[in-house]
Amino acid sequence: MMTKENSKEVMTTAKVLEFVKKEKIEYIRVEFLDYAGITRGRTVRPNQLKAAMDKGINFSTAIMSFDVFDEYIPNPSFGANDGDFFAIPDPNTFAILPYRKNTARMLCDLVDINGDPWHGCPRSALKRLLNEVETLLGGKMNMAFEQEAYLLKEQDGQLVPADNSHCFSIEGADIQEDFIQDFVYSLEEMGVETEQLSSESGPGQLEINLKYTNALKAADDQVTFMHLYKQIARDKGLVGTLMPKPFQNHAGSGLHVHISLFDENGDNLFEDATDQRGLDISEKAYHFIGGLLKHGSSLIAIGAPSINSYKRMQPGSWAPAHICYGSGNRSVLVRIPEKTRTRRFEYRGADGTCNPYLLAACLVAAGLRGIQNQIDPGEPIEFDVSKASEFQLKENGISWVPRNLNEAIHALSEDSILAQTIGRTIWEEFINIKRTEWDKYSKHVSDWERNLFAMRF
């Protein structure tokens, strides 16, 4: 079996085929994520794998015009006459699924009929932007994803927390030991390293920190996390969910992305001990943060793309409700960890309903434009923003994050810079899909509404 150690080896088509034969792999899943963050793919047999890796597996482009309800949206960008793209498995993402019999998985880049990167592929957009970072900044972008997620169980026809553990309690790890150990073991067998795991604020809620690595692999690792968390939980008779706000009266689940930049000598380009603002970060880091704040509302649309996302980002919830940055401050959108930590920063405005490739690409695009345009983020915010008055917010130049998906998508629709950098095709259809989801949500009448208004009027 491919282990954590040999998964670091650079893989080729020949090595993958050799490994499949040696380990008697019978099924290989080839997968990609659409704009709604849903995994799509096919399963091939070993005798079809080389052809799949050489030429790709065809999919109708229309699959990228499905929303989170798995429905084809009205007036899509991709119709019956728009042909196919081809999913090319990346050999470096080959991994055996420890929880399935004789089955492996590979993540894909999407190409056109000529074998060139398809203009609608988020993973290819991320790769292109990372190459731009290397060319312009002389460094490699590293990221680490830190995901919060719930374990639920069904009780009397309702989904409830799987346990009643407390924040940072050992009890939670003990109760869910069977799930946790299988989950972490499976991650590491698939080449994804974890740094730490803990019970979080909500009952049945966990937080898992993945180890930092180059930004492309970090996004691949997050995709693996998303799949495994649900699948391992399902095997245990539980429901594993990355849903941002599954319970009104319990903590929400966020996704934090740690970002750093290192040159080929291993020097941290975001660190500067002579920093006049006292945070020991470089001008590049400040300008990168400036770009994140400049495009803050648009990035929220990308990182928090579900109708449920905005029920998490409320003042006083420890989720960001305002666009600003600070040191050691967990009420802000971009947090700089304390000086005892490696100089980096943490983007806090995402959740597990996003497409990790699209999120990473947009973070890089916004930060890169911040550096190119030398955008100053202003002074770091030291107070709890959630307790600030509107006067104090205005005095410090702090704006609210979008209050719902509709506001966020409107902000994204006016962001021509992100449209240009991630690709107008991706930008336009993502907006189309999310507007469709908002429209469906706006028309939905819930039991709560019916019970309230039927009795009042």
Side-chain angles (χ1 to χ4, degrees):
M1 177 174 289
M2 178 172 284
T3 64
K4 178 175 64 177
E5 287 72 24
N6 63 28
S7 70
K8 295 178 181 178
E9 177 186 0
V10 175
M11 296 292 283
T12 62
T13 298
K15 288 179 180 179
V16 168
L17 294 173
E18 179 184 350
F19 205 86
V20 166
K21 183 177 180 180
K22 177 183 176 183
E23 297 296 329
K24 296 181 172 58
I25 301 300
E26 295 293 334
Y27 303 96
I28 304 94
R29 300 176 180 176
V30 292
E31 303 174 347
F32 62 92
L33 267 64
D34 66 13
Y35 302 145
I38 306 299
T39 302
R40 309 289 180 180
R42 301 186 196 272
T43 299
V44 300
R45 299 281 278 157
N47 61 347
Q48 296 297 317
L49 182 56
K50 186 177 188 306
M53 296 182 73
D54 288 343
K55 298 181 180 180
I57 296 177
N58 68 297
F59 290 85
S60 168
T61 57
I63 194 62
M64 302 302 275
S65 294
F66 279 67
D67 61 21
V68 73
F69 301 97
D70 206 29
E71 296 175 355
Y72 192 45
I73 66 171
N75 304 311
S77 295
F78 307 114
N81 61 320
D82 286 308
D84 292 350
F85 58 71
F86 300 83
I88 300 281
D90 183 341
N92 283 313
T93 66
F94 177 86
I96 293 175
L97 299 180
Y99 53 90
R100 293 292 179 264
K101 184 178 180 180
N102 301 331
T103 302
R105 177 229 63 185
M106 301 178 74
L107 301 173
C108 297
D109 292 312
L110 309 180
V111 304
D112 62 21
I113 189 67
N114 299 313
D116 298 320
W118 183 58
H119 54 85
C121 177
R123 192 172 190 266
S124 296
L126 173 58
K127 292 167 75 172
R128 172 174 48 79
L129 283 159
L130 293 176
N131 288 334
E132 192 174 338
V133 167
E134 290 192 46
T135 300
L136 296 177
L137 304 183
K140 291 184 180 293
M141 189 69 65
N142 287 338
M143 291 186 180
F145 287 75
E146 174 186 327
Q147 179 73 62
E148 297 166 333
Y150 272 90
L151 284 175
L152 310 178
K153 63 183 179 182
E154 188 171 339
Q155 182 175 295
D156 299 327
Q158 300 290 325
L159 288 176
V160 300
D163 61 65
N164 291 313
S165 57
H166 305 294
C167 187
F168 295 138
S169 70
I170 300 301
E171 181 186 26
D174 285 342
I175 294 171
Q176 302 301 341
E177 178 184 30
D178 185 43
F179 167 83
I180 289 171
Q181 292 195 2
D182 276 4
F183 176 62
V184 173
Y185 165 80
S186 295
L187 279 175
E188 294 183 349
E189 283 298 300
M190 293 182 70
V192 180
E193 295 187 61
T194 56
E195 288 200 333
Q196 58 187 24
L197 182 148
S198 59
S199 294
E200 253 298 334
S201 180
Q205 188 184 34
L206 300 171
E207 180 182 78
I208 299 93
N209 296 60
L210 303 184
K211 184 174 177 59
Y212 77 91
T213 183
N214 70 80
L216 178 63
K217 186 178 187 309
D220 287 339
D221 288 352
Q222 175 63 11
V223 172
T224 301
F225 180 107
M226 294 163 64
H227 295 168
L228 282 182
Y229 196 83
K230 295 185 70 67
Q231 292 164 352
I232 299 295
R234 189 183 302 120
D235 289 347
K236 306 293 182 184
L238 301 170
V239 173
T241 181
L242 281 60
M243 179 181 179
K245 189 68 172 173
F247 301 105
Q248 180 176 333
N249 298 319
H250 294 313
S253 292
L255 171 63
H256 304 154
V257 185
H258 296 260
I259 305 171
S260 57
L261 181 68
F262 287 83
D263 67 17
E264 60 183 12
N265 298 318
D267 293 327
N268 188 344
L269 299 181
F270 281 168
E271 182 173 359
D272 183 358
T274 66
D275 175 17
Q276 296 299 306
R277 303 188 213 198
L279 302 181
D280 288 357
I281 64 174
S282 67
E283 283 301 300
K284 277 188 174 69
Y286 280 115
H287 293 152
F288 197 105
I289 293 170
L292 296 182
L293 301 185
K294 175 74 173 179
H295 298 276
S297 293
S298 302
L299 291 174
I300 292 293
I302 298 293
S306 76
I307 52 178
N308 181 255
S309 298
Y310 300 84
K311 297 177 181 180
R312 181 183 79 90
M313 291 188 288
Q314 300 296 324
S317 66
W318 290 54
H322 301 87
I323 299 174
C324 54
Y325 84 106
S327 176
N329 188 343
R330 287 180 169 84
S331 69
V332 298
L333 182 63
V334 180
R335 181 179 78 95
I336 302 171
E338 289 77 5
K339 289 184 183 180
T340 56
R341 315 284 292 278
T342 300
R343 293 293 79 196
R344 64 179 188 277
F345 41 84
E346 173 192 59
Y347 177 79
R348 299 172 56 80
D351 61 54
T353 62
C354 74
N355 179 319
Y357 301 116
L358 191 51
L359 172 62
C362 289
L363 291 174
V364 173
L368 189 58
R369 297 305 172 263
I371 291 174
Q372 291 175 318
N373 296 315
Q374 298 186 343
I375 299 175
D376 190 334
E379 293 301 313
I381 301 302
E382 298 180 353
F383 54 86
D384 184 345
V385 190
S386 69
K387 298 179 179 178
S389 65
E390 287 297 327
F391 174 81
Q392 193 175 10
L393 294 176
K394 185 175 181 180
E395 188 178 43
N396 286 274
I398 299 171
S399 59
W400 286 78
V401 301
R403 304 313 299 146
N404 55 52
L405 180 60
N406 189 46
E407 287 186 17
I409 293 302
H410 177 72
L412 181 61
S413 71
E414 296 188 329
D415 196 326
S416 59
I417 299 299
L418 279 189
Q420 295 168 13
T421 50
I422 66 172
R424 187 163 289 273
T425 296
I426 298 172
W427 177 79
E428 286 182 351
E429 196 64 348
F430 180 86
I431 290 171
N432 290 340
I433 288 168
K434 293 304 167 181
R435 280 179 171 160
T436 299
E437 293 176 8
W438 174 257
D439 187 53
K440 290 177 181 178
Y441 173 68
S442 299
K443 295 174 182 176
H444 175 72
V445 179
S446 67
D447 289 340
W448 178 79
E449 291 175 273
R450 185 180 300 106
N451 293 335
L452 173 63
F453 290 104
M455 298 300 294
R456 291 289 185 272
F457 300 99

